[in-house]
Amino acid sequence: MSEHTRQILVRGRLRITDFRLRLLEVFVASSHSALTQKEIEARIGAHDRITLYRTLKSFEAAQLIHQVVDGSLENKYAFCLHDCPEHRAQEEHAHFLCNQCKTTYCLGSISDLAITVPSNYSLDKVQLALTGTCSACN
Amino acid sequence: MSEHTRQILVRGRLRITDFRLRLLEVFVASSHSALTQKEIEARIGAHDRITLYRTLKSFEAAQLIHQVVDGSLENKYAFCLHDCPEHRAQEEHAHFLCNQCKTTYCLGSISDLAITVPSNYSLDKVQLALTGTCSACN
DNA sequence: CTATATTTGCAACATTATTGCATAAATGAA
DNA sequence: TTCATTTATGCAATAATGTTGCAAATATAG
């Protein structure tokens, strides 16, 4: 069962350790929504806080996860799907934060929106943070 | 000169104190861009950090300022203009973060964008965080 | 199996945020 | 203006969050 997560670490050229496998399991298990550090800590069980910080950094550097802007002013992390839109040159991603359950759903690409910036500005990244009530809470 | 800021406090039904006037001056002086707490602390001079926390909360509760989502994962605050779009029922606001100078510009309303959410979701707030290089840095 | 490089976990420390409380200040009423 | 009441401020103590250095443990290559 951990063969899948092993593969992910190999692809990211990261050494395979128990802690990294455990952390990856957490992300894979909620790949549809983004997690706060608190939520991660609750799910991963006993652990060293410092190691978690560093492992999150390694994962982010290896592009296994990415930070999510959902309008909640909390830092959240999400697992990168294979062809992760966050890591294309022109990153365009929409997230939806439910006011009730505080879940952040990934809504995928928004590249079809017509976004323009003032002249002489150049645009690298478009993050769309939507807030409301999700279908589960409605 | 502080008559203007006095008026703002009166409108917000807040008591007029030296510290609040000083903080308001800071916001009014950069009403075109959003400030991090660090930036505020640098501009306001000697102060008590706890008082700053509490005053920011009062200002936010009184809708004198609002928090800004600019994609930087840093909490920023901006002064509310009189007819502040952040405080309409359907809040729609775009901000632009410059990668070079880290300034966050307010780009105003985005209500003309066609945003749709999955069926059975309801939408309260739309925050568009744009990142790139501003004209000053280009 | 061994040598090397990386990761982990602990300690110490730095930064950021919160709560309680006594003092100081602002406001409304006499 | 002065006084009584309410609110804000600043300090102390504490909690929560994030960082750095280092020795021991672990993973990997040969």
Side-chain angles (χ1 to χ4, degrees):
Chain A
M1 186 49 224
S2 68
E3 192 49 41
H4 178 218
T5 41
R6 283 189 126 74
Q7 287 298 324
I8 294 169
L9 288 179
V10 170
R11 270 208 306 272
R13 288 169 222 289
L14 292 172
R15 291 197 172 187
I16 295 165
T17 68
D18 277 354
F19 185 78
R20 284 175 176 173
L21 289 172
R22 278 167 61 204
L23 182 57
L24 256 189
E25 299 282 2
V26 170
F27 277 114
V28 170
S30 68
S31 56
H32 60 293
S33 68
L35 301 172
T36 62
Q37 190 145 335
K38 255 192 172 44
E39 289 170 326
I40 295 167
E41 299 203 3
R43 287 162 203 227
I44 206 171
H47 67 284
D48 180 72
R49 235 161 32 85
I50 292 97
T51 301
L52 178 56
Y53 285 127
R54 291 195 273 221
T55 308
L56 285 174
K57 271 187 195 162
S58 317
F59 279 15
E60 207 185 352
Q63 308 199 340
L64 267 50
I65 60 174
H66 61 256
Q67 289 195 302
V68 167
V69 169
D70 69 356
S72 70
L73 296 171
E74 270 200 293
N75 293 15
K76 298 194 179 182
Y77 293 90
F79 184 60
C80 287
L81 300 177
H82 186 59
D83 182 23
C84 176
E86 292 290 321
H87 292 123
R88 296 202 195 113
Q90 176 89 3
E91 304 180 33
E92 302 194 341
H93 217 71
H95 292 95
F96 184 92
L97 169 70
C98 177
N99 279 329
Q100 317 290 312
C101 60
K102 306 297 178 198
T103 302
T104 301
Y105 300 94
C106 171
L107 296 187
S109 172
I110 51 167
S111 51
D112 48 338
L113 290 176
I115 310 270
T116 55
V117 287
S119 67
N120 214 21
Y121 280 53
S122 49
L123 191 57
D124 287 348
K125 186 151 95 173
V126 176
Q127 290 166 298
L128 187 60
L130 307 177
T131 315
T133 306
C134 73
S135 79
C137 292
N138 254 338
Chain B
M1 187 46 224
S2 68
E3 193 48 41
H4 179 219
T5 42
R6 283 189 126 74
Q7 288 298 323
I8 294 169
L9 289 178
V10 170
R11 271 209 305 272
R13 289 169 221 289
L14 292 172
R15 290 196 173 185
I16 295 165
T17 68
D18 277 353
F19 186 78
R20 284 176 176 172
L21 289 172
R22 278 167 61 204
L23 182 56
L24 256 189
E25 298 283 2
V26 169
F27 277 114
V28 171
S30 69
S31 56
H32 61 292
S33 68
L35 301 172
T36 62
Q37 191 144 336
K38 256 194 171 40
E39 289 170 327
I40 295 167
E41 300 204 1
R43 286 163 203 228
I44 206 171
H47 66 284
D48 180 71
R49 237 159 31 85
I50 292 100
T51 301
L52 178 56
Y53 286 128
R54 292 196 271 221
T55 309
L56 286 174
K57 270 187 193 162
S58 319
F59 279 15
E60 206 183 353
Q63 306 199 342
L64 267 50
I65 60 172
H66 61 257
Q67 288 195 302
V68 167
V69 169
D70 69 356
S72 70
L73 296 171
E74 269 200 294
N75 293 16
K76 298 195 180 182
Y77 294 91
F79 183 60
C80 288
L81 300 178
H82 186 58
D83 181 23
C84 176
E86 293 290 321
H87 292 122
R88 296 202 195 116
Q90 177 89 5
E91 303 180 33
E92 302 194 341
H93 217 71
H95 293 95
F96 185 92
L97 170 69
C98 177
N99 279 328
Q100 318 290 312
C101 60
K102 307 296 177 198
T103 301
T104 301
Y105 299 94
C106 172
L107 296 187
S109 172
I110 51 167
S111 51
D112 48 337
L113 289 177
I115 310 269
T116 54
V117 286
S119 67
N120 214 21
Y121 280 53
S122 49
L123 191 58
D124 288 347
K125 185 150 96 172
V126 176
Q127 290 166 297
L128 187 60
L130 307 177
T131 316
T133 305
C134 71
S135 79
C137 291
N138 254 338

